[in-house]
Amino acid sequence: SPPVVTPSPPLVTPIPTDPPAAGCTDFAGAPCATCLATNGVCYSTMNADECGAFGFRWCAGGGPVPPTTPSPPVVTPSPPVVTPSPPVVTPSPPLVTPIPTDPPAA
């Protein structure tokens, strides 16, 4: 007898069962029950967090998801860098004994 082949179930991303929120129609006029982008494309593969991160409208929960605001980076101040100044050297006047220009008197 021929081998029995059992087909595997199709890989389908589940679509939320809640009805789409008012105004959630894509560019072609079809209802969008997941993530509606600002260009009218309905993305069924995004979750609510991803949708909100892009500033798109999450239609499964009945309204927009506010975009997430990244936390500001934590800045730890570095200790000040102290560079020692070079020593100040003030030259001393030369220690020269003047040579008389007149011959000594005899």
Side-chain angles (χ1 to χ4, degrees):
S1 69
V4 176
V5 177
T6 306
S8 58
L11 298 176
V12 177
T13 302
I15 296 178
T17 56
D18 295 339
C24 282
T25 54
D26 68 9
F27 67 94
C32 179
T34 51
C35 182
L36 184 63
T38 53
N39 63 355
V41 174
C42 185
Y43 291 98
S44 62
T45 56
M46 283 191 187
N47 63 36
D49 292 334
E50 294 168 335
C51 189
F54 285 103
F56 298 159
R57 183 172 184 183
W58 181 245
C59 294
V65 173
T68 55
T69 304
S71 301
V74 175
V75 178
T76 305
S78 302
V81 176
V82 178
T83 305
S85 301
V88 177
V89 177
T90 306
S92 302
L95 296 176
V96 175
T97 305
I99 300 174
T101 55
D102 293 334

